[in-house]
């Protein structure tokens, strides 16, 4: 499937160059922000996932993170102490522990996402308009294919 340009392979190469070039910058900035908030990448990724989910069990969290339940519990413990998430019990089964993000956690994820969005906008503004358009077309194509 082509993306409507004359040379999709060239567009994909430009997209790869953009990602490799910008990835380092984005990750360094994210790392500085996470250090400031005293959380790890794994903890941030868990917060980001919980920001889009209503609530998850510890087993669900362990599965999503690719960790053991014990390791997932450690992540949740730390984030709960920082006020970014909370545990509750399921109404239908008090033995089942559910984890959800707090408003403080949502604020953190939103702030860091907004910062990343600003960095992307700055990088895109420094990119030639045809390259930026090619990037967005390639991204939309990949996004559509991944959603299937």
């Amino acid at each position: 499937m082509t993306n409507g340009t004359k040379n999709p392979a060239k567009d994909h190469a430009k997209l790869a160059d953009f990602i490799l070039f910008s990835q380092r910058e984005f990750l360094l900035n994210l790392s500085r922000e996470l250090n400031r908030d005293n959380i790890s990448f794994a903890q941030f990724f868990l917060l980001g996932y919980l920001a889009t989910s209503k609530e998850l069990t510890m087993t669900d969290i362990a599965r999503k993170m690719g960790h053991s339940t014990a390791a997932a519990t450690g992540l949740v413990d730390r984030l709960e102490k920082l006020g970014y998430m909370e545990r509750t019990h399921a109404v239908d089964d008090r033995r089942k522990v559910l984890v959800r993000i707090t408003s403080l956690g949502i604020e953190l994820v939103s702030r860091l996402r907004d910062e990343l969005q600003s960095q992307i906008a700055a990088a895109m503004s420094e990119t030639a308009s045809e390259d930026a358009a090619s990037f967005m077309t390639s991204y939309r194509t990949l996004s559509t294919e991944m959603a299937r």
Side-chain angles (χ1 to χ4, degrees), residues 25 47 121:
E25 184 77 19
L47 282 171

Side-chain angles (χ1 to χ4, degrees), residues 16-85:
D17 288 343
F18 176 80
I19 290 170
L20 290 173
F21 175 76
S22 59
Q23 179 181 13
R24 179 180 177 273
E25 184 77 19
F26 298 150
L27 289 176
L28 286 173
N29 287 336
L30 178 60
S31 181
R32 278 192 290 275
E33 290 295 319
L34 293 177
N35 285 336
R36 190 180 74 170
D37 291 301
N38 203 25
I39 64 172
S40 69
F41 278 107
Q43 291 165 336
F44 176 68
F45 293 133
L46 175 56
L47 282 171
Y49 188 76
L50 280 169
T52 62
S53 304
K54 193 169 190 169
E55 54 193 13
L56 295 173
T57 65
M58 290 305 298
T59 302
D60 292 335
I61 290 171
R63 194 174 306 125
K64 296 287 183 196
M65 298 296 293
H67 294 319
S68 67
T69 303
T73 299
L75 286 174
V76 171
D77 285 347
R78 174 96 168 107
L79 291 168
E80 187 175 37
K81 285 178 187 169
L82 292 169
Y84 295 129
M85 58 180 50

Side-chain angles (χ1 to χ4, degrees), residues 11 19 36 67 70 77 83 93 105 117 134-135 137:
D11 288 347
I19 290 170
R36 190 180 74 170
H67 294 319
D77 285 347
D93 183 353
Q117 183 177 342
S134 174
F135 169 82
T137 300

Side-chain angles (χ1 to χ4, degrees), residues 96-122:
K96 185 189 278 186
V97 175
L98 301 172
V99 178
R100 76 180 94 187
I101 193 168
T102 63
S103 59
L104 186 62
I106 289 171
E107 289 171 18
L108 174 68
V109 170
S110 294
R111 180 174 54 81
L112 293 177
R113 185 188 176 282
D114 290 348
E115 176 64 28
L116 179 59
Q117 183 177 342
S118 295
Q119 292 170 8
I120 290 170

